[in-house]
Amino acid sequence: MRIALPKERKCHEYRVALTPVAVSQLTKMGHFVSIECAAGEKAGFNDDLYVAAGAKIVQDWQVLWAEADLIIKVKEPLPDEALVLHSSQALFSYLHLAVSKTLAEQLLSSGATCIAYETIKNEFGALPLLVPMSEVAGRMAIQAAGYCLQVAHGGSGVLLGGLTGVAPAHVVVLGAGVVGENAARMALGQGAQVTIIDKSLARLRELDKLWQGRARTLYSSLDSIASEVKTADVVIGAALIPGAEAPKLLNRAMLKSMRKGSVLVDVAIDQGGCFETSRPTTLEQPTYIVDGIVHYCVSNIPGAVARSSTQALCNASLPYVLDLVQGLSRNVLRQSALASGVNICQGECTEQEVAKALSIEYHAL
């Protein structure tokens, strides 16, 4: 199979879909791998490493895409990239189509098979290709929050961990999944006061047992969220509905009740965000202020630590790539995990949550 690894063109996105070690495994199996010039450079993998792994370096991204059977990338394609896809190709990447009808329509028109990392489920119902990037994003959310709390960046000037005789920051985490757990872990490690809010009592019990009461746990309701954010210095948005738009958990009225200089970090922004006032930002311009509250809504947080993120993502994605290269018809249609990732196939939407979010017709795969 002819496999293409494009250079990510989203603002300050430095990850690359596969490491040279993974490429070497594919080329030794007899597949042809082409990679766009300098695609892995910012992640610490230069072109020479890919050449040594058996890959071909391509200068022109349009040529790279045109010659491929399978295109593997990290972030969703940009509009001009989506336009070059055609019906004999497959695309494997994060797509987040529930919040982008324009991209969904382009992919539908292409006739290509489009498989989303974020909706692949394993035999346990987990989301294995979301987990590594959720771990990164959850941990980095606390780093970002600490930075944004500084007065020079619009924050209240509160130190996350406090210090002798001075209270620590109050960090509220909305969602107790992978992002939420990792954000809470980092905040606790820095000495912050942490409250985790979620609707799953079973999950809250797990975290109670894990941290032995070091973090408070609360059942999620409008009242509990509204009460906690009034005293929060940091709120981490970590709610997720697989394939669907994120629920709005913090509204404008709650925002107005918060202390000026507090920080919102919306890790769910890829799926539309879980704060009413959220809008996507970039690593170049990561924040904006609404009603005195700093909003950090970067849609590719893991891209800032490209080397670690690339290695973690490739570790998780390579088994699925190895299934894909055996043949799309056999593996996509029969291998359950890959089937759950197919969002677009032959001009039809095959992901129910995406179809519902975009009000388009759904066709079972």
Side-chain angles (χ1 to χ4, degrees), residues 23 83 145 160 275 335 354:
V23 167
L83 285 173
L160 273 174
F275 308 138
Q335 208 274 350
V354 170

Side-chain angles (χ1 to χ4, degrees), residues 177-331:
V178 177
V179 171
E181 179 183 340
N182 279 272
R185 183 190 300 274
M186 293 293 287
L188 287 170
Q190 293 200 36
Q193 174 193 341
V194 177
T195 301
I196 307 172
I197 301 178
D198 198 276
K199 281 194 170 183
S200 171
L201 290 175
R203 179 60 176 149
L204 293 177
R205 287 191 186 99
E206 287 178 1
L207 296 181
D208 270 335
K209 184 177 180 180
L210 177 65
W211 289 318
Q212 299 182 332
R214 289 175 58 213
R216 295 170 62 227
T217 57
L218 287 177
Y219 182 76
S220 181
S221 68
L222 285 176
D223 287 342
S224 63
I225 294 171
S227 175
E228 287 301 307
V229 301
K230 285 180 182 178
T231 62
D233 298 292
V234 174
V235 180
I236 306 294
L240 172 71
I241 301 173
E245 189 170 1
K248 296 294 186 283
L249 300 179
L250 193 154
N251 59 36
R252 190 67 178 263
M254 295 177 191
L255 188 79
K256 289 179 181 293
S257 75
M258 295 178 67
R259 295 193 293 245
K260 305 303 181 189
S262 296
V263 175
L264 302 183
V265 181
D266 198 338
V267 185
I269 193 65
D270 270 335
Q271 294 293 122
C274 54
F275 308 138
E276 184 181 333
T277 47
S278 291
R279 56 178 171 79
T281 62
T282 67
L283 287 165
E284 186 174 42
Q285 295 182 310
T287 64
Y288 60 92
I289 296 175
V290 178
D291 294 338
I293 308 302
V294 182
H295 290 57
Y296 183 99
C297 304
V298 173
S299 59
N300 60 326
I301 293 174
V305 286
R307 186 173 181 86
S308 294
S309 295
T310 292
Q311 291 172 318
L313 179 59
C314 184
N315 289 344
S317 67
L318 184 58
Y320 298 97
V321 172
L322 295 177
D323 281 336
L324 278 170
V325 296
Q326 292 180 49
L328 288 171
S329 60
R330 179 157 60 99
N331 287 284

Side-chain angles (χ1 to χ4, degrees), residues 137-155:
R139 296 179 186 207
M140 288 197 66
I142 299 303
Q143 292 183 203
Y147 177 86
C148 293
L149 279 172
Q150 296 175 37
V151 174
H153 305 128

Side-chain angles (χ1 to χ4, degrees), residues 1-3 31 68-72 85-93 111-116 120 320-342 344-346 365:
M1 186 173 283
R2 296 171 299 175
I3 303 163
H31 300 291
D69 301 311
L70 172 63
I71 298 156
I72 309 173
L85 277 171
H86 54 78
S87 59
S88 63
Q89 292 179 315
L91 171 68
F92 191 33
S93 74
T113 299
C114 301
I115 306 164
I120 287 181
Y320 298 97
V321 172
L322 295 177
D323 281 336
L324 278 170
V325 296
Q326 292 180 49
L328 288 171
S329 60
R330 179 157 60 99
N331 287 284
V332 171
L333 297 178
R334 297 181 186 175
Q335 208 274 350
S336 60
L338 281 171
S340 63
V342 180
I344 303 289
C345 185
Q346 298 175 356
L365 183 62

